[in-house]
Amino acid sequence: MLRITLTRVIGVLPVLLGISIISFLVIRMIPGDVVNSIMGDEFSDPAVEQQLREYFGLDQPLHVQFLNWFGMLVQGDLGVSMRSGAPVLDEILLRLPATALLAVSALVVAIIVSIPLGVISATRRNGVLDATTRVGSLIGLSVPNFWLGILLVYVFAVTLGWLPSQGAGEGKPFPENLTHLILPAVTLGVTLAATSMRMVRSSMLEVLGQDYIRTARAKGLAERLVVTRHALRNSLIPVITVLGMEAGALLGGTVIIEQVFSWPGLGSLVIRGISQRDYPLVQGTLLFLALFYVLVNFIVDLIYTLLDPRLRHVR
């Protein structure tokens, strides 16, 4: 187990190096820089622009800029925002709780919806409920989540007035501010639920056809115990992998939804950094999101190994 863990850790290092290079280069492919964003077109002064570029280090060659940034990165310093002057790590940690809350809530919604429906669909194969859930999952995969978010806002916020449509409920008491979480969490959770429900169904169908399931039924074990104790437990191994990958992607996948619902998280922070050409802010946030994704997948690999003892002996 220790050998597998060390192998996974070593494999993560080149991935993070590649992500740091990509995050550094991608933002610089956009026309303009932070100096153009600050000065604008009406107040352009070549002398002032040159001074600002020297101040921000943008006058140096691209490889020198990368080495300077990477040198701070290996020391745990993500740099300082070019616009606010605040440390990038502080900006990320300030927005992280809101995004983490939204991502975890969406994951909970997906689990609550997908696992029961996937099990019922598999145990009642080719029935009306099975057909309904399959059609519903197909719709959930096909509908863009930003369009679904706008639709939910129109129905439940604008038309019915049941739920708030914007913000995270800052300053409101505990039960009331949770109402701001419902619409964005459902919007993100629906797509994830559609994916995981199809995985639960297919995995359950495969397990229910195994010999040990037929043996359990032949011994007279109740169908409920056959499904929950034997079939469901073994069918969840690939489902956990899918949920883990989706959970890692959720933290970065909230960008559009945060814009739709004006949610004060990392997504809106990235959008602000891109619009202002704030290189350290965008680079640091993208790297942080990528690190979280890699970490979640690393944890999923370990859980997968614990659930399936055969993988512990793979060399």
Side-chain angles (χ1 to χ4, degrees):
M1 187 66 183
L2 178 61
R3 182 179 179 181
I4 295 175
T5 303
L6 292 176
T7 303
R8 297 287 195 277
V9 171
I10 294 173
V12 164
L13 298 179
V15 173
L16 293 179
L17 176 60
I19 293 172
S20 65
I21 296 174
I22 293 173
S23 63
F24 178 84
L25 294 176
V26 164
I27 182 61
R28 285 167 171 77
M29 293 180 181
I30 303 175
D33 55 23
V34 67
V35 177
N36 300 127
S37 175
I38 293 174
M39 298 294 295
D41 297 330
E42 298 180 0
F43 303 99
S44 179
D45 186 334
V48 176
E49 289 184 8
Q50 181 61 28
Q51 291 178 359
L52 287 174
R53 286 193 170 87
E54 291 176 0
Y55 175 77
F56 291 125
L58 300 177
D59 60 322
Q60 299 176 348
L62 199 60
H63 69 278
V64 175
Q65 296 181 42
F66 174 76
L67 291 176
N68 291 336
W69 175 69
F70 192 77
M72 294 190 300
L73 183 63
V74 295
Q75 301 177 44
D77 185 2
L78 295 179
V80 177
S81 170
M82 291 178 171
R83 295 301 296 265
S84 67
V88 172
L89 184 59
D90 291 348
E91 296 247 24
I92 292 174
L93 295 179
L94 183 64
R95 300 290 191 102
L96 178 61
T99 296
L101 176 62
L102 179 56
V104 170
S105 302
L107 187 62
V108 170
V109 169
I111 292 173
I112 292 176
V113 172
S114 64
I115 293 181
L117 289 181
V119 171
I120 294 173
S121 180
T123 53
R124 301 182 182 181
R125 185 180 182 183
N126 298 327
V128 176
L129 185 58
D130 181 27
T132 303
T133 54
R134 281 189 292 170
V135 171
S137 66
L138 183 61
I139 295 174
L141 288 172
S142 304
V143 174
N145 55 12
F146 71 88
W147 183 86
L148 178 61
I150 294 173
L151 179 63
L152 292 178
V153 168
Y154 177 75
V155 174
F156 293 101
V158 177
T159 304
L160 300 177
W162 291 352
L163 296 170
S165 62
Q166 303 291 317
E170 300 92 334
K172 294 183 179 180
F174 172 69
E176 186 177 351
N177 63 7
L178 286 182
T179 58
H180 290 260
L181 182 62
I182 296 176
L183 290 182
V186 170
T187 302
L188 277 175
V190 164
T191 302
L192 177 56
T195 304
S196 54
M197 185 180 70
R198 294 169 70 89
M199 178 61 70
V200 171
R201 180 183 182 276
S202 62
S203 182
M204 279 288 294
L205 288 176
E206 182 180 355
V207 171
L208 287 172
Q210 299 295 320
D211 291 338
Y212 66 88
I213 297 295
R214 288 192 288 269
T215 301
R217 287 170 173 164
K219 290 170 60 178
L221 196 64
E223 185 65 18
R224 177 179 59 84
L225 295 178
V226 172
V227 172
T228 57
R229 184 178 299 176
H230 297 282
L232 180 60
R233 180 178 180 181
N234 291 311
S235 65
L236 285 181
I237 294 177
V239 177
I240 289 175
T241 303
V242 172
L243 286 175
M245 294 176 63
E246 294 290 343
L250 270 178
L251 201 64
T254 60
V255 175
I256 298 177
I257 299 303
E258 288 185 6
Q259 290 299 109
V260 172
F261 293 97
S262 298
W263 191 264
L266 292 177
S268 57
L269 185 65
V270 171
I271 296 297
R272 190 193 81 188
I274 293 174
S275 63
Q276 297 177 346
R277 307 297 190 270
D278 193 337
Y279 294 161
L281 183 62
V282 176
Q283 293 164 192
T285 307
L286 291 179
L287 186 62
F288 181 85
L289 293 174
L291 176 62
F292 181 83
Y293 183 82
V294 170
L295 180 61
V296 169
N297 280 274
F298 173 73
I299 294 174
V300 169
D301 283 343
L302 295 182
I303 294 176
Y304 201 99
T305 305
L306 292 174
L307 291 176
D308 193 345
R310 295 171 298 179
L311 297 178
R312 302 174 193 173
H313 305 290
V314 176
R315 295 184 181 273

